[in-house]
Amino acid sequence: MDQRDQKGTYSDLFRLDGRRALIIGAGGIGAEAARALSDHGALITCADRDGDAAQAAAAAVGGQSAELDITDSEAVRHAAESLPEVDVVVLTAAMNVRKRILDYSPEEFDRVVDLNLRGTFSVIKYFGEKMVERGRGSIIIFSSIRDQVVEPGQSVYAATKAGAVQLVKTAAAEFGELGVRVNAVSPGVVETRLTSQIKSDPQWHQAYAAKSALGRWSLPAELAGAVVYLASDAASYVTGTTLRVDGGWTAVDGRFTPPA
């Protein structure tokens, strides 16, 4: 089991003292996840294809940094071999090319799939292998509301996020009896660089805010609690699940509120 000997109060279940956490994708949500895990006692390594971004996120929590491009499967394998024993892996790195299917090029398709799906597979495979050998660990993959609901222009991104969720479920089934938990976090619309195109259009920005039950976008820090929970012993019996942190987006039917 990933769960350690539990003594003390229930608040101790969320402590991560002495555990090593690797955050892949160090900007935005990843940086906030690193802060939250560090505040709960974890030892942090921040990794990103942008070495400067990794260093900045690591410096903010007194952690270590590494340059890592998860589209290079050999680099992921090497990272899993060379980094200190990792108890928690959080993968937030992703990209989107927002175009309708008829406008998509094969090259754009390959770019999105290579990072979002193939990269996710490599992280689960190589870091999961090391966790299985040690008999413990928690892998947390960031998905999206687009793993369940779509809109025009989201075809390839949505397909990769749905695929990532199926990888999570399969890894959970294969690694579970060996002590490793694998889960997904599915955010709604978050104020990050990935959504800058939407934020630049006031009407589009407001439409997305109105779609959630809370009537607003989320901030990266609002995803951090889900990461701490899934990393900790508080979630010791949670695996193969998708935790939706979407402000109720996927619970609400449409944008029109009819009279009661």
Side-chain angles (χ1 to χ4, degrees), residues 164-181:
V165 166
Q166 295 304 94
L167 285 174
V168 162
K169 291 178 180 179
T170 306
E174 294 177 356
F175 300 169
E177 292 184 358
L178 301 168
V180 179
R181 297 183 295 107

Side-chain angles (χ1 to χ4, degrees), residues 40-203:
H40 284 77
L43 306 173
I44 305 297
T45 299
C46 294
D48 199 285
R49 71 190 340 176
D50 181 345
D52 291 339
Q55 287 180 0
V61 297
Q64 298 180 334
S65 66
E67 191 169 329
L68 178 62
D69 180 357
I70 64 168
T71 64
D72 182 346
S73 59
E74 182 59 24
V76 178
R77 186 198 64 78
H78 177 72
E81 293 279 354
S82 61
L83 289 174
E85 293 186 353
V86 177
D87 299 294
V88 179
V89 171
V90 181
L91 174 60
T92 70
M95 71 168 296
N96 187 13
V97 174
R98 183 183 287 273
K99 287 185 177 181
R100 293 177 181 248
I101 291 172
L102 299 185
D103 297 325
Y104 236 94
S105 71
E107 293 76 20
E108 289 166 335
F109 178 93
D110 288 342
R111 283 171 50 210
V112 177
V113 171
D114 203 30
L115 178 60
N116 295 3
L117 193 57
R118 188 167 179 263
T120 297
F121 174 80
S122 295
V123 169
I124 292 174
K125 172 180 171 61
Y126 291 114
F127 284 96
E129 181 179 32
K130 295 304 175 185
M131 289 180 174
V132 164
E133 289 175 0
R134 296 194 302 272
R136 67 178 189 272
S138 173
I139 299 174
I140 302 164
I141 303 297
F142 267 73
S143 180
S144 164
I145 54 171
R146 299 305 173 201
D147 63 24
Q148 181 174 339
V149 294
V150 300
E151 66 182 5
Q154 294 279 38
S155 60
V156 182
Y157 180 78
T160 61
K161 290 304 183 179
V165 166
Q166 295 304 94
L167 285 174
V168 162
K169 291 178 180 179
T170 306
E174 294 177 356
F175 300 169
E177 292 184 358
L178 301 168
V180 179
R181 297 183 295 107
V182 189
N183 291 287
V185 175
S186 181
V189 289
V190 189
E191 298 274 1
T192 67
R193 287 182 301 174
L194 193 63
T195 54
S196 59
Q197 178 185 3
I198 303 168
K199 290 185 291 183
S200 66
D201 184 324
Q203 185 176 5

